Amino acid sequence: MARWVCSVCDYEYVEEAGDPAAGIPPGTPFEDIPADWRCPRCSVGKEAFVRAGEEEVETNDEDYL
């Protein structure tokens, strides 16, 4: 199961845990959360979340030497 991180406040949505306080049962994939779901910490929408481990990493040419 995946983890999704709010890019505004760093809240982590863990699919395995869900968000029971918002009626999202454990095991609910992020894609299946209703479109109007909001971050429980800062109230931004789903569009502000990125999948953990997929954040952009800056590299430079020296990284390949």
Side-chain angles (χ1 to χ4, degrees):
M1 302 225 101
R3 294 178 305 118
W4 294 78
V5 179
C6 176
S7 62
V8 175
C9 73
D10 292 329
Y11 168 82
E12 225 176 79
Y13 174 78
V14 180
E15 292 180 348
E16 190 172 82
D19 183 5
I24 310 296
T28 302
F30 189 77
E31 294 83 3
D32 293 345
I33 294 173
D36 62 350
W37 178 82
R38 311 300 261 166
C39 175
R41 189 177 295 157
C42 71
S43 298
V44 297
K46 287 176 63 175
E47 68 279 353
F49 280 74
V50 293
R51 189 174 177 137
E54 293 185 4
E55 296 86 8
E56 297 225 359
V57 177
E58 288 188 34
T59 59
N60 60 42
D61 291 337
E62 292 177 3
D63 292 336
Y64 300 102
L65 298 178

